[in-house]
């Protein structure tokens, strides 16, 4: 199943010049089971993805995979809420009050991420309407560009931050592509412009600065950070800064804050302008195939992610069960009929025989245990974890193999220059 990461390839000895791929997910197998008459599926599955490692990722990980026929997204979400609530009640004596639902658009607009930590009250506020007419191109340019964003992050008590700390935050957002970090300290709100401290006020102008302060409802002791760039960069930079500042200033509440993020876009554009699936290409859209192909970037999916304290616990969706719709999605993604038949012919054939409506979800078991134990990395809850470069300190894997093994696999190594 293509999940956006590279496959771990395994050469076949019995089928010369051909390869197996370790499973990134049992997604297609789950769907084939639904097509074959198994209406319920539950598996603890081992998965493998060759991707850059982070605190919540390992190349080998464990999923709790669920698939079910004749249930819609609301019913699946309800069952999964009950399961996770039961686990936390039994093992941690924690009771969840509710699982609020938030659209993907709202999450990105308010928090800059599709997995917001609701224990943090800080929010992003759009100020492009106020910045579009200023002479300062750093703000005016993105404010006038439909693919960009100008947003502000008000941090109560942040005026006490030192210049060195602010410089450190500037370096931090640079990791996400931000070219800088503008800021305004509110030393005394009653003193007007004299109570504000910032190197950007002279470029933005006092009138616009005053309007921004009113919109954000700032108070004495606050600091306001600004992001102005392509929407993706602003969201990632300010979204990450929101969490870091809250942690540094002790503004993360104790407890648990679960939610569902819903109404994801079907597709997103990569850096080259090509469309890719936001989840995977087997997710059902909320529209028909004609609307999908005519306006793919406007199409929403029937996908849902369970988020807990800023971590995605699980992601799922209602799946496509009609071959015509599946082919329409492939077409939007630029997958030709020949390529679709080569890679997914077995799925299209199964769908053509008549497949019931179905959907499911997969939970990251390691991430769940990480959260429940209060660990900062899944390395702490996985036996024999891999390093940041995906190597094993215990066995020194990966390692070289003998020439005989390579001959059996019909493989010749090329020297890397």
């Amino acid at each position: 199943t293509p999940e956006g990461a590279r496959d771990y390839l395994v050469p076949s000895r019995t089928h010369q010049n051909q390869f197996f791929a370790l499973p990134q997910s049992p997604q297609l197998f789950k769907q084939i089971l639904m097509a074959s008459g198994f209406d319920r599926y539950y598996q603890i599955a081992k998965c493998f993805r060759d991707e850059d490692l982070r605190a919540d990722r390992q190349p080998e990980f464990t999923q709790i995979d669920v698939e079910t026929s004749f249930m819609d997204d609301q019913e699946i979400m309800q069952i999964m809420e009950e399961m996770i609530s039961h686990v936390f009640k039994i093992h941690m004596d924690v009771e969840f009050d509710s699982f609020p639902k938030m659209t993907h658009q709202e999450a990105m607009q308010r928090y800059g991420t599709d997995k917001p930590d609701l224990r943090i009250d800080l929010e992003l506020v759009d100020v492009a309407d106020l910045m579009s007419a200023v002479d300062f191109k750093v703000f005016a340019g993105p404010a006038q560009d439909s693919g960009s964003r100008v947003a502000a992050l008000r941090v109560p008590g942040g005026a006490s931050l030192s210049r060195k700390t602010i410089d450190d935050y500037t370096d931090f957002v640079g990791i996400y592509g931000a070219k800088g970090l503008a800021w305004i300290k509110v030393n005394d709100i009653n003193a007007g412009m004299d109570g504000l401290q910032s190197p950007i006020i002279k470029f933005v102008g006092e009138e616009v600065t005053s309007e921004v302060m009113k919109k954000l409802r700032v108070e004495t002791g606050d600091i306001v950070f600004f992001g102005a760039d392509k929407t993706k960069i602003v969201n990632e930079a300010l979204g990450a800064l929101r969490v870091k500042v809250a942690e540094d200033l002790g503004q993360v509440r104790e407890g648990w804050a679960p939610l569902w993020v819903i109404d994801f876009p079907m597709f997103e554009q990569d850096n080259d302008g090509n469309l890719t699936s936001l989840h995977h290409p087997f997710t059902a859209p909320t529209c028909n195939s004609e609307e999908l192909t005519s306006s793919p970037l406007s199409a929403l999916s029937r996908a849902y992610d369970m988020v807990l304290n800023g971590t995605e616990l699980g992601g799922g969706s209602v799946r496509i069960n009609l071959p015509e719709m599946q082919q329409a999605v492939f077409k939007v993604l630029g997958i030709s009929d020949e390529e679709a038949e080569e890679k997914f012919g077995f799925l299209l054939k199964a769908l053509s025989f008549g497949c019931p409506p179905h959907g499911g979800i997969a939970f990251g078991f390691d991430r769940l245990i990480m959260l429940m134990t209060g660990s900062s990395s899944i390395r702490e809850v996985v036996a024999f974890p891999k390093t940041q470069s995906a190597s094993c300190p215990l066995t020194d894997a990966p390692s070289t193999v003998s020439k005989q093994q390579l001959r059996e696999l019909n493989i010749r190594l090329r020297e890397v220059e």
Side-chain angles (χ1 to χ4, degrees), residues 42 45 52 55 68-69 71 93 107 114 137 152 160 167 195 206 221 233 266 271 282 287 296 304 326 336 343 385:
Y42 189 99
D52 296 332
T68 177
S69 292
M71 293 182 70
D93 197 27
D114 57 7
K137 290 184 177 180
S160 61
D167 289 342
E206 294 187 2
I233 293 175
M266 275 289 289
N271 294 332
F282 316 108
C287 59
Y304 37 83
Q326 189 63 74
S336 66
K343 292 183 176 179

Side-chain angles (χ1 to χ4, degrees), residues 43-263:
Q43 181 186 7
I44 308 296
K46 281 292 184 182
C47 301
F48 305 84
R49 296 181 188 173
D50 183 6
E51 57 188 351
D52 296 332
L53 303 188
R54 299 198 301 250
D56 61 348
R57 286 181 179 173
Q58 280 281 293
E60 176 184 355
F61 57 96
T62 307
Q63 284 188 179
I64 304 172
D65 265 285
V66 179
E67 200 77 8
T68 177
S69 292
F70 301 110
M71 293 182 70
D72 62 22
D73 43 4
Q74 299 300 320
E75 293 169 316
I76 295 171
M77 283 190 280
Q78 181 61 39
I79 289 179
M80 295 303 106
E81 281 185 29
E82 293 171 3
M83 183 187 79
I84 294 298
S85 296
H86 177 77
V87 168
F88 273 79
K89 175 61 178 174
I90 293 299
H91 295 285
M92 300 188 66
D93 197 27
V94 169
E95 292 193 34
F96 293 140
D97 294 330
S98 64
F99 285 71
K101 294 182 176 66
M102 180 181 297
T103 66
H104 177 269
Q105 181 180 15
E106 180 184 356
M108 299 303 293
Q109 202 73 14
R110 294 172 61 186
Y111 305 109
T113 176
D114 57 7
K115 42 183 179 290
D117 190 340
L118 298 187
R119 299 173 303 164
I120 302 171
D121 292 329
L122 308 181
E123 295 189 19
L124 277 58
V125 177
D126 280 315
V127 292
D129 56 329
L130 301 176
M131 297 291 191
S132 60
V134 300
D135 293 331
F136 195 34
K137 290 184 177 180
V138 171
F139 285 149
Q144 297 168 12
D145 178 17
S146 61
S148 299
R149 183 181 188 188
V150 183
L153 177 68
R154 169 182 167 255
V155 182
S160 61
L161 294 172
S162 68
R163 183 58 189 265
K164 182 183 183 305
T165 300
I166 295 174
D167 289 342
D168 290 341
Y169 287 155
T170 302
D171 294 337
F172 176 75
V173 297
I175 298 172
Y176 301 91
K179 301 179 182 69
L181 182 65
W183 52 271
I184 297 177
K185 283 186 177 183
V186 185
N187 296 321
D188 184 357
I189 190 62
N190 296 317
M193 288 297 119
D194 293 335
L196 303 180
Q197 176 187 349
S198 172
I200 68 167
I201 294 177
K202 59 184 178 182
F203 301 109
V204 174
E206 294 187 2
E207 182 179 348
V208 172
T209 300
S210 178
E211 290 298 315
V212 170
M213 296 300 104
K214 288 179 183 177
K215 185 170 185 176
L216 298 177
R217 298 180 180 178
V218 300
E219 298 178 0
T220 297
D222 293 352
I223 190 172
V224 178
F225 293 110
F226 296 88
D229 211 311
K230 294 296 182 183
T231 300
K232 185 175 186 292
I233 293 175
V234 172
N235 286 344
E236 291 183 355
L238 288 189
L241 181 64
R242 168 182 175 268
V243 175
K244 183 169 180 58
V245 170
E247 291 175 345
D248 291 348
L249 296 181
Q251 296 184 11
V252 183
R253 289 192 300 275
E254 294 292 325
W256 303 92
L259 79 150
W260 287 103
V261 178
I262 59 174
D263 292 343

